[in-house]
């Protein structure tokens, strides 16, 4: 229940911030162009709060917090007194109308850069792209546990999220990326990952998993939560011990223990198990025993250490942080990178390379808003920046009803020297509404499908 309330609250906060900036862009440029603004509303429906300034503009917060609008004086909206005709939007030169309409998406782009700048100054904590386990295509390419991905096709990789995005894009394009890694000893290698071998119709949300990667931070730590009574572990280990090595072989996750124990049992004799206990490193004698599992019918060597049942998030091992000045170009670079990725995804969906399942609606947005807010201010700022950029890109699409559709009308007017006919614009509005309704329907379907599955 708390997650539902949190999701709704943080989505309202996010949309409130982004819509306010978007509409302020329209408002600010409209005022500079001498257009009279009748209403500046955050949200739709009945106003919950409003006030009117000395210029006659009503500022309102409405009941439905899923958008907003700026209403300007316009003859298309109703009769305009002769004395106010010079302040009507439709009476302004076409270049000024283009500037007013484009100001909303531009405001979102500016906000995206500002949010990323703040995020970089604070510092965004994340996980490095360190391989925990490699199977399948990853193992075939030569990846091993401990490899840290540094670049994919020349693109610098700072976090595991960067690596996921680069791999997913390459898989959609049926391209085999060249991946630069540094191994445990710091030696660099370039490995070719055969993502084109993934089957047709592969799950585009799990490319790394399908390729055989498990990331280091996702693996259960080799932590002793308890020991089985009478087992070898019960005689030397206690709850809270962190196992670091078995018979000299390093242990980086709980999954490393069993293969090493089988190897140790096959060798026979006593071995050393190394642990960290209360800040001290200890080396203890231990010898596995042969056991029969009555439930599965399998026989194997064991120490008697059940896997942990309560997993804590792994500590962050990567951080992107810059000083106030260095964060400025970093924010512009990140904005360009995110914009390129978003436009590339749209292109791939239009060409069929990317699945339309990648389209998300308000339910997913609300869930991500809540999740990022829980992770910290750095992640919530990143989420807001990405959402602000998405809002700018969507609004610039040449779909009637959206800002991009109006810009298309005005560009046609600029070329032909006269406005489109009212009939043509009305037809465009109906087409735009149908396209927008279809897009929203698809987004809601994807959201609900994710919840159900």
């Amino acid at each position: 229940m708390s997650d539902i309330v949190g999701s709704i609250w943080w989505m309202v906060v996010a949309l409130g911030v982004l819509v306010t900036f978007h509409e302020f862009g329209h408002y600010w440029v409209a005022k500079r162009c001498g257009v009279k603004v009748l209403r500046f509303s955050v949200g739709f429906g009945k106003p919950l709060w409003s006030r009117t300034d000395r210029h006659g503009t009503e500022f309102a917060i409405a009941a439905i917090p899923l958008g907003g609008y700026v209403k300007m004086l316009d003859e298309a909206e109703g009769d305009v007194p002769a004395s106010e005709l010079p302040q009507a939007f439709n009476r302004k030169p076409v270049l000024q109308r283009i500037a007013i309409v484009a100001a909303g998406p531009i405001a979102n782009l500016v906000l995206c850069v500002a949010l990323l700048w703040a995020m970089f100054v604070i510092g965004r904590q994340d996980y490095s792209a360190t391989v925990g386990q490699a199977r399948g295509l990853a193992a075939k390419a030569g990846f091993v546990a401990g490899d840290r991905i540094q670049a994919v096709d020349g693109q610098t990789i700072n976090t595991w999220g960067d690596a996921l995005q680069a791999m997913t894009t390459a898989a959609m394009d049926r391209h085999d990326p060249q991946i630069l890694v540094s191994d445990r000893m710091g030696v660099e290698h370039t490995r070719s990952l055969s993502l084109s071998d993934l089957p047709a119709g592969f799950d585009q949300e799990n490319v790394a998993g399908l390729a055989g990667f498990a990331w280091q931070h996702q693996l259960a730590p080799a932590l002793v939560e308890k020991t089985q009574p009478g087992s070898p572990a019960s005689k030397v280990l206690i709850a809270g011990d962190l196992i670091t090595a078995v018979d000299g072989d390093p242990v980086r996750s709980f999954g490393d223990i069993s293969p090493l124990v089988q190897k140790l049992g096959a060798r026979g004799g006593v071995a050393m198990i190394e642990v960290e206990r209360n800040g001290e490193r200890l080396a203890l004698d231990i010898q596995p025993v042969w056991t029969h599992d009555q439930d599965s019918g399998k026989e194997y060597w064991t120490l008697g250490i059940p896997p942990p049942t309560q997993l804590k998030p792994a500590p962050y091992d990567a951080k992107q942080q810059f000083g106030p000045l260095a964060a400025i170009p970093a924010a512009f670079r990140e904005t360009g990178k995110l914009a390129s990725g978003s436009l590339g995804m749209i292109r791939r969906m239009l060409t069929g390379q990317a699945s339309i399942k990648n389209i998300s609606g308000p339910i997913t947005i609300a869930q991500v808003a809540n999740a990022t807010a829980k992770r910290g201010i750095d992640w919530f700022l990143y989420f807001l920046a990405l959402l602000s950029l998405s809002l700018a890109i969507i609004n610039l699409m040449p779909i009637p009803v959206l800002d991009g559709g109006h810009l298309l009308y005005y560009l046609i007017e600029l070329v032909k020297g006269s406005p489109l006919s009212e009939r043509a614009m009305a037809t465009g509005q109906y087409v735009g509404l149908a396209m927008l309704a279809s897009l929203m329907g698809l987004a809601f379907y994807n959201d609900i499908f994710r919840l159900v599955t």
Side-chain angles (χ1 to χ4, degrees):
M1 186 65 182
S2 61
D3 278 343
I4 296 175
V5 174
S7 297
I8 294 172
W9 166 251
W10 289 114
M11 184 181 72
V12 169
V13 170
L15 291 180
V17 171
L18 303 186
V19 168
T20 299
F21 267 83
H22 180 93
E23 299 305 331
F24 181 78
H26 292 311
Y27 168 82
W28 189 82
V29 176
K31 295 291 286 185
R32 296 304 175 277
C33 292
V35 176
K36 183 176 181 179
V37 178
L38 303 178
R39 175 179 287 180
F40 183 122
S41 178
V42 177
F44 297 108
K46 184 178 180 180
L48 301 176
W49 171 90
S50 68
R51 77 171 184 86
T52 303
D53 68 6
R54 59 189 178 87
H55 301 293
T57 302
E58 179 190 6
F59 294 87
I61 298 176
I64 305 174
L66 297 177
Y69 62 93
V70 168
K71 183 178 181 181
M72 304 174 203
L73 190 68
D74 194 324
E75 288 178 283
E77 301 289 333
D79 295 332
V80 177
S83 61
E84 295 185 341
L85 284 175
Q87 300 180 71
F89 174 80
N90 63 291
R91 292 293 182 105
K92 295 299 177 180
V94 65
L95 288 177
Q96 288 191 3
R97 281 179 276 143
I98 288 175
I100 293 169
V101 171
I106 291 173
N108 281 126
L109 285 174
V110 172
L111 178 61
C112 175
V113 174
L115 290 167
L116 289 173
W117 175 85
M119 180 201 74
F120 282 132
V121 170
I122 294 171
R124 186 182 70 161
Q125 298 189 94
D126 204 347
Y127 298 105
S128 65
T130 303
V131 178
Q133 292 177 353
R135 300 187 178 91
L137 295 177
K140 185 178 178 181
F143 289 91
V144 294
D147 280 352
R148 185 163 182 164
I149 297 176
Q150 304 289 350
V152 175
D153 285 336
Q155 175 187 330
T156 301
I157 299 298
N158 296 308
T159 67
W160 74 296
D162 293 341
L164 289 177
Q165 183 177 0
M167 289 183 191
T168 301
T169 300
M172 290 177 181
D173 295 340
R174 311 304 288 178
H175 165 66
D176 297 336
Q178 300 299 305
I179 301 180
L180 176 67
V181 304
S182 59
D183 61 22
R184 293 171 180 169
M185 305 302 294
V187 180
E188 293 188 344
H189 310 269
T190 299
R191 296 181 174 135
S192 179
L193 184 62
S194 301
L195 292 177
S196 59
D197 290 342
L198 290 175
F202 63 89
D203 182 1
Q204 296 180 357
E205 295 183 359
N206 186 32
V207 170
L210 293 175
F213 287 99
W215 304 106
Q216 179 65 47
H217 70 272
Q218 294 176 326
L219 302 179
L223 189 68
V224 178
E225 190 175 276
K226 61 181 179 179
T227 59
Q228 293 175 345
S231 66
S234 67
K235 301 171 185 176
V236 295
L237 301 178
I238 62 173
D241 283 350
L242 179 65
I243 300 173
T244 58
V246 173
D247 199 24
D249 291 317
V251 171
R252 292 178 174 81
S253 69
F254 198 90
D256 293 340
I257 298 174
S258 181
L260 294 177
V261 170
Q262 306 316 304
K263 178 182 174 183
L264 176 60
R267 191 203 72 183
V270 178
M272 302 293 290
I273 184 168
E274 298 173 36
V275 302
E276 287 186 9
R277 178 184 297 171
N278 298 325
E280 294 185 50
R281 299 183 68 90
L282 305 175
L284 308 168
D285 290 337
I286 199 167
Q287 184 174 5
V289 295
W290 186 252
T291 187
H292 175 81
D293 190 327
Q294 295 181 347
D295 293 330
S296 64
K298 295 181 179 179
E299 294 183 326
Y300 50 86
W301 294 98
T302 183
L303 296 178
I305 311 171
T309 56
Q310 296 181 346
L311 298 181
K312 295 181 180 179
Y316 291 116
D317 62 351
K319 188 174 185 178
Q320 292 178 280
Q321 187 172 26
F322 302 91
L325 292 179
I328 296 173
F332 277 101
R333 286 195 302 270
E334 188 71 12
T335 300
K337 176 183 170 184
L338 292 174
S340 176
S342 298
L343 292 172
M345 181 62 73
I346 292 172
R347 175 181 61 79
R348 290 180 180 90
M349 284 192 285
L350 291 174
T351 59
Q353 292 172 281
S355 170
I356 57 175
K357 292 179 181 179
N358 290 295
I359 298 174
S360 299
I363 297 175
T364 298
I365 292 172
Q367 290 175 326
V368 176
N370 187 45
T372 53
K374 286 182 176 180
R375 290 186 71 172
I377 184 64
D378 51 342
W379 274 94
F380 191 64
L381 288 173
Y382 182 77
F383 164 74
L384 285 178
L386 183 57
L387 195 58
S388 187
L389 177 64
S390 300
L391 188 60
I393 291 173
I394 291 172
N395 268 282
L396 286 173
M397 288 182 177
I399 300 175
V401 180
L402 298 177
D403 291 335
H406 292 296
L407 289 174
L408 179 62
Y409 288 157
Y410 300 145
L411 288 174
I412 294 173
E413 179 182 342
L414 192 64
V415 172
K416 68 190 289 281
S418 60
L420 285 172
S421 66
E422 290 187 8
R423 182 177 181 181
M425 287 193 286
T427 302
Q429 294 292 93
Y430 285 121
V431 172
L433 284 171
M435 294 174 67
L436 203 57
S438 300
L439 189 62
M440 291 177 64
L442 178 61
F444 269 109
Y445 172 81
N446 286 342
D447 279 357
I448 293 171
F449 183 79
R450 287 190 189 100
L451 285 177
V452 171
T453 57

